[in-house]
Amino acid sequence: MPKLPKLFIYLLGLVFIINLLQSYFTDLIFDEAYYWHYAQNMAWGYFDHPPMVALLVKISSLFFTGELGVRFMSCVLSVGTLYFLWLLIDNPKKNEYVLHFFVLTFSMTLLNAYGFFTLPDTPFLFFTALFLYIYKKFIAQPTWLLSIALGLLMSALMYSKYHAVLVIVFVILSNIKLVFNKYAWLAVFVALLSYAPHLIWLFNNDFVSVKYHLFERPNKAYDFNDYTIGFFLNLLALFGFTFFWIYKALIKTKNTDLLNKALLYITYGTLIFFFISSFNRRIQTQWLIVISITLTILAFNYMLENENARKWIFRMGLVNIALLIFARFALVFEQIAPMHYESHGNKEWALSISEKAGETPVVFENSYRNAPMYAFYTGNTSFSLNNVMYRRNQYSIDDSEAKVQHKKILYVSQYLLDGDYPLNLPKQKTGFGVYKDNFESFRKLRVLLDKKEIPLNSQETIEFKVFNPYDFDIDVNKLKFYVAYHNHYKRPEEVVPIAVSKVNTLQQILKPKDTLTYTFKMPKYTMKNPGYFKIAISENNLQPGMNGDNIKLTE
């Protein structure tokens, strides 16, 4: 490893300390609490994401408690990201502009935020920088050891975030000769071998993550301002006031070598991919995060050779940093924040519920956000009971439901019109909390319908099965059935009760790992032009759950 300038070491250490302090004093945001929930039951996969983010939380918890027990490894990986970005820059002038490097990187919004937040993008950024560094060595002189390292890093990228496939694909496209390289094939073999546990997890869980992200995720009608204009606004938000000179550096950079070519392919490929995607769905800013890595390298190299760019990126970078420092303080101190942010007040509302509930488990309806936040700050049991108007999540597939069965619980729901006390929760301004004795839910019951589509307004008799995945009997008299009509973008809009008939009318008990067959006819609806429907089951008069798959309604 090359010797680092002392100023680089000092500034890197300063960034690490700043991020540690930020981690300690900032309440968790909701996604972090959700990933903390992941880490309470380590697995090779989770509903929404691969498992790397949970591993970071788990390792952090070995060293610290509280917020640092979630974020410590993010602080470590963030300085590692900066270190490998520095190593990826070969220009001999770089040692003269260490301060410029830190101004450039610390002024990037999400690169800054992921210096302490623990989200899937945090390891994704680190492993992208490390992957590119090893790839740089590989193209200079491939060896078996570098091949194995590349394979492990491709796997680590995919364990971090599914978007990592773009990095891998665009690097291969930038150097198509890799297809004929035995060292590259070894890397692919190592990557597949080390990624196999997650692939097996996906298979054993019916590819739940893939199905959700590709087929089940609700959408809405195309909106030019929200989708496509929003995409371009995200490009500006990534770099703030330095955006003009950073994108100018991208345009000015030539294919001088294979590494530069890889950086250009990743950047342009990512931009083109998500630009096209913006005609189908709203692009979230963090989906573009990988270009912060590639454009750091390209922009800094451009700064070193262009005095005007160096001057303006430094000046505008300082403006960005001033704003980001204020934002960091605002994350901690709500009284100076221009708006309520999700890091504000979480400990307070969680403890306010705990004061009423004591150690009684709390069941939050339709909130995979509030349930883990409550558990994190109180240490008490919680569960997210998801109904058909919401979305499936990790609580739909893990063992959380079992922890509240047949216990007295506090049931917190926006659907309740009366209760023991009114709600005062983030993004949940209506509803109440009520105590329930001997709570019982069967959210994992699955509806199996072998049709992929059914004509709209069909009056045919439709047959479906209900599968019991539990290890106990279920009294079918506790079940009621509904059809949830969705619009053409898979958003639920109307829930209608249905009358069902059992094929075996004498059977009143659904045995473990067994099915019962029912028939029904499609009910009338009032919504305009439904596009999909799913069958939903209500148990013990709870709101109906997400038991069936979306079935397309045809004209």
Side-chain angles (χ1 to χ4, degrees):
M1 293 291 183
K3 186 177 179 181
L4 297 173
K6 285 185 178 180
L7 181 58
F8 183 91
I9 297 172
Y10 296 150
L11 291 175
L12 195 65
L14 179 62
V15 168
F16 182 60
I17 292 169
I18 290 172
N19 287 335
L20 283 177
L21 291 171
Q22 187 81 52
S23 299
Y24 181 81
F25 288 106
T26 308
D27 280 6
L28 293 192
I29 61 174
F30 288 105
D31 280 353
E32 288 182 296
Y34 186 44
Y35 303 138
W36 170 83
H37 174 71
Y38 281 11
Q40 305 317 295
N41 185 14
M42 292 299 295
W44 284 106
Y46 298 92
F47 182 89
D48 317 74
H49 295 288
M52 186 64 75
V53 66
L55 180 61
L56 292 192
V57 175
K58 195 68 175 180
I59 296 173
S60 298
S61 69
L62 299 177
F63 297 98
F64 298 98
T65 58
E67 289 84 358
L68 262 182
V70 174
R71 295 173 173 151
F72 175 67
M73 283 304 298
S74 294
C75 298
V76 173
L77 292 193
S78 67
V79 295
T81 300
L82 296 178
Y83 172 71
F84 286 111
L85 283 173
W86 179 258
L87 295 185
L88 278 160
I89 296 159
D90 283 334
N91 194 307
K93 296 180 183 178
K94 71 177 185 179
N95 287 348
E96 301 171 29
Y97 296 100
V98 171
L99 186 59
H100 290 70
F101 174 82
F102 278 91
V103 168
L104 172 66
T105 54
F106 204 70
S107 70
M108 294 183 180
T109 50
L110 292 188
L111 201 60
N112 191 305
Y114 296 144
F116 59 95
F117 284 140
T118 294
L119 302 166
D121 306 272
T122 310
F124 179 45
L125 290 171
F126 171 77
F127 287 117
T128 298
L130 181 53
F131 171 74
L132 290 171
Y133 175 70
I134 297 299
Y135 176 67
K136 173 187 171 185
K137 289 186 165 297
F138 179 88
I139 54 182
Q141 181 59 57
T143 65
W144 297 115
L145 188 60
L146 288 174
S147 297
I148 294 170
L150 271 183
L152 292 174
L153 285 169
M154 284 192 284
S155 175
L157 279 167
M158 291 298 296
Y159 272 120
S160 299
K161 195 170 183 178
Y162 294 124
H163 287 161
V165 69
L166 296 177
V167 174
I168 297 168
V169 167
F170 290 133
V171 167
I172 294 172
L173 290 176
S174 74
N175 186 5
I176 204 67
K177 290 182 179 179
L178 290 173
V179 174
F180 307 104
N181 188 313
K182 62 183 179 181
Y183 295 102
W185 279 107
L186 174 63
V188 170
F189 174 77
V190 170
L192 290 174
L193 186 65
S194 52
Y195 200 58
H198 182 64
L199 296 175
I200 294 169
W201 181 90
L202 284 172
F203 178 81
N204 290 338
N205 287 272
D206 196 28
F207 294 94
V208 64
S209 306
V210 177
K211 285 183 176 179
Y212 173 72
H213 288 297
L214 295 184
F215 307 115
E216 295 178 4
R217 197 167 192 157
N219 204 352
K220 64 178 184 177
Y222 175 71
D223 183 318
F224 178 74
N225 289 330
D226 191 29
Y227 283 24
T228 304
I229 296 298
F231 164 77
F232 287 106
L233 291 177
N234 286 336
L235 295 183
L236 305 186
L238 282 173
F239 304 111
F241 289 105
T242 61
F243 78 91
F244 174 80
W245 295 275
I246 287 178
Y247 289 117
K248 184 178 180 181
L250 171 64
I251 294 168
K252 293 289 186 179
T253 301
K254 307 298 182 185
N255 287 342
T256 54
D257 54 56
L258 285 174
L259 179 62
N260 252 17
K261 191 175 180 182
L263 298 175
L264 292 171
Y265 268 62
I266 293 170
T267 308
Y268 282 118
T270 300
L271 294 176
I272 292 169
F273 177 85
F274 285 112
F275 173 69
I276 294 172
S277 299
S278 76
F279 291 95
N280 175 258
R281 65 179 61 248
R282 185 176 183 273
I283 304 303
Q284 298 179 26
T285 313
Q286 67 268 24
W287 294 355
L288 303 164
I289 187 64
V290 71
I291 69 171
S292 295
I293 295 294
T294 54
L295 287 179
T296 293
I297 303 166
L298 297 178
F300 191 62
N301 276 323
Y302 183 67
M303 287 170 67
L304 294 176
E305 300 300 331
N306 188 297
E307 184 179 353
N308 187 58
R310 184 165 66 243
K311 176 178 65 178
W312 281 105
I313 289 178
F314 188 82
R315 289 174 177 175
M316 293 297 100
L318 290 176
V319 175
N320 281 351
I321 289 171
L323 294 173
L324 290 170
I325 288 174
F326 173 78
R328 280 175 172 256
F329 277 102
L331 287 175
V332 180
F333 304 106
E334 185 174 6
Q335 57 269 33
I336 68 167
M339 57 183 287
H340 177 85
Y341 189 60
E342 60 180 277
S343 65
H344 298 146
N346 293 319
K347 191 180 301 183
E348 287 75 12
W349 71 252
L351 293 176
S352 71
I353 294 178
S354 179
E355 287 175 2
K356 297 179 176 68
E359 295 184 359
T360 300
V362 179
V363 174
F364 294 86
E365 183 154 28
N366 285 4
S367 189
Y368 72 90
R369 295 158 56 92
N370 290 340
M373 190 70 78
Y374 178 81
F376 178 81
Y377 280 116
T378 67
N380 295 331
T381 301
S382 67
F383 174 60
S384 175
L385 185 86
N386 309 309
N387 71 40
V388 75
M389 301 303 290
Y390 196 48
R391 54 154 283 195
R392 297 182 74 204
N393 50 66
Q394 183 60 25
Y395 287 96
S396 305
I397 65 173
D398 65 18
D399 64 351
S400 301
E401 185 184 41
K403 296 175 182 178
V404 298
Q405 295 302 295
H406 303 290
K407 294 180 179 179
K408 179 181 179 179
I409 61 104
L410 178 63
Y411 185 69
V412 174
S413 173
Q414 66 194 59
Y415 295 93
L416 295 173
L417 301 178
D418 195 7
D420 295 308
Y421 68 90
L423 296 182
N424 183 23
L425 294 174
K427 293 190 176 182
Q428 200 162 302
K429 304 304 182 185
T430 60
F432 286 84
V434 298
Y435 289 99
K436 288 180 177 285
D437 294 317
N438 194 28
F439 177 78
E440 184 180 51
S441 64
F442 312 129
R443 290 289 124 149
K444 292 184 181 180
L445 283 177
R446 294 295 294 153
V447 169
L448 309 174
L449 203 163
D450 60 5
K451 295 178 180 291
K452 298 297 182 185
E453 55 184 45
I454 287 176
L456 187 62
N457 301 318
S458 169
Q459 288 304 302
E460 67 174 300
T461 298
I462 302 169
E463 184 177 282
F464 69 93
K465 298 179 186 292
V466 177
F467 172 69
N468 176 12
Y470 298 101
D471 58 3
F472 52 82
D473 295 345
I474 293 177
D475 181 355
V476 297
N477 294 308
K478 296 179 178 179
L479 309 180
K480 295 179 181 178
F481 295 84
Y482 295 78
V483 160
Y485 285 107
H486 295 56
N487 63 22
H488 284 270
Y489 302 96
K490 301 180 181 178
R491 291 187 176 273
E493 291 191 6
E494 184 177 357
V495 181
V496 185
I498 55 174
V500 299
S501 300
K502 291 197 299 290
V503 171
N504 185 348
T505 58
L506 298 178
Q507 192 169 346
Q508 302 300 314
I509 298 297
L510 179 53
K511 297 288 186 182
K513 307 298 186 288
D514 199 3
T515 60
L516 273 180
T517 303
Y518 292 84
T519 60
F520 78 106
K521 290 187 177 180
M522 294 292 291
K524 298 294 183 182
Y525 54 87
T526 59
M527 68 175 285
K528 183 180 179 181
N529 193 24
Y532 295 84
F533 80 93
K534 68 172 54 163
I535 299 173
I537 300 174
S538 165
E539 67 278 36
N540 300 309
N541 295 314
L542 295 170
Q543 292 290 324
M546 291 172 285
N547 308 96
D549 295 326
N550 286 329
I551 308 298
K552 187 173 179 60
L553 291 165
T554 59
E555 297 293 340

